Amino acid sequence: RFDFNLSRGSNVLCHILHIVGLLSELTSLLLRENELTGSVPSEIGLLKKIHTLHLEGNDIIGSIPSEIGMTSSLEFLSFGKNDLISSIPSEIGLLKYLKNLNINRNNLTGSIPTEIGLLTSLTYLSLSNNQLEGDIPSEIGLLTNLGAGLPGGLYLTSNNLNTTEIPTEIGLLTNLNFFNKQI
């Protein structure tokens, strides 16, 4: 097992993410709040054994690469509080062990991919404070573990989502204690 933790104020100001892909045994990468710049490289898909990828609170730009779907052991993913743009890649649905997905406070656009419904292990989903639009996909109703863990819940606030018609499948989320859909 190999962990790499430079969280909170380590002042790492380089483009370290490009070399991370070479660390095939890496299980945990914690680089939150480090003022990291640059984009998430496609090499992220080489991290086959990674369980935790925490890149929240940096200055990461660009899009979430489709290669994220190749990180098949991932359980915790946080790209929150960055400057990511573009849409959420449909390959996110390949992360069958994912329990916690936080990509709030970015500039993501497009709709929530229907493949999100494939993430049946999710207990926490935060897509708040982006520029997502369109309908909330009915496939969200397949995420029956949402709210079952701590933290838990479904957070969709501060987007441009159509909230006039909430899918009835939301009613299937019996573990959900908190659902925030406020515009």
Side-chain angles (χ1 to χ4, degrees), residues 3-178:
D3 294 334
F4 190 65
N5 184 353
L6 293 174
S7 294
R8 291 202 183 234
S10 299
N11 293 323
V12 177
L13 298 174
C14 64
H15 300 279
I16 197 168
L17 295 175
H18 287 287
I19 41 178
V20 167
L22 303 174
L23 304 172
S24 62
E25 297 297 312
L26 190 68
T27 58
S28 181
L29 181 61
L30 307 170
L31 291 170
R32 58 189 280 265
E33 299 176 17
N34 273 291
E35 300 177 14
L36 288 174
T37 60
S39 59
V40 181
S42 60
E43 289 87 358
I44 206 83
L46 299 174
L47 300 175
K48 304 291 185 205
K49 295 185 179 180
I50 195 150
H51 293 136
T52 302
L53 182 55
H54 198 167
L55 299 173
E56 181 175 335
N58 285 291
D59 296 313
I60 299 171
I61 59 170
S63 60
I64 300 170
S66 61
E67 289 82 1
I68 197 72
M70 297 168 57
T71 57
S72 56
S73 297
L74 205 54
E75 295 178 12
F76 180 97
L77 175 61
S78 180
F79 284 130
K81 299 180 190 173
N82 279 291
D83 293 312
L84 294 171
I85 57 170
S86 193
S87 59
I88 301 169
S90 60
E91 289 82 1
I92 204 99
L94 298 173
L95 303 176
K96 63 182 177 180
Y97 299 111
L98 198 62
K99 295 176 183 171
N100 185 308
L101 176 59
N102 177 16
I103 46 179
N104 68 2
R105 297 185 183 189
N106 280 285
N107 294 303
L108 296 172
T109 58
S111 60
I112 299 172
T114 58
E115 290 82 0
I116 207 100
L118 298 173
L119 303 176
T120 56
S121 295
L122 272 185
T123 61
Y124 177 85
L125 175 61
S126 181
L127 306 177
S128 297
N129 298 90
N130 280 291
Q131 297 172 33
L132 298 171
E133 55 192 21
D135 293 331
I136 298 170
S138 60
E139 288 81 1
I140 286 221
L142 299 172
L143 305 179
T144 56
N145 286 314
L146 278 179
L150 291 175
L154 173 60
Y155 302 86
L156 302 175
T157 60
S158 301
N159 280 293
N160 300 314
L161 295 168
N162 175 8
T163 56
T164 57
E165 291 186 35
I166 304 297
T168 58
E169 289 82 358
I170 292 279
L172 299 173
L173 305 178
T174 56
N175 288 316
L176 196 60
N177 292 320
F178 192 77

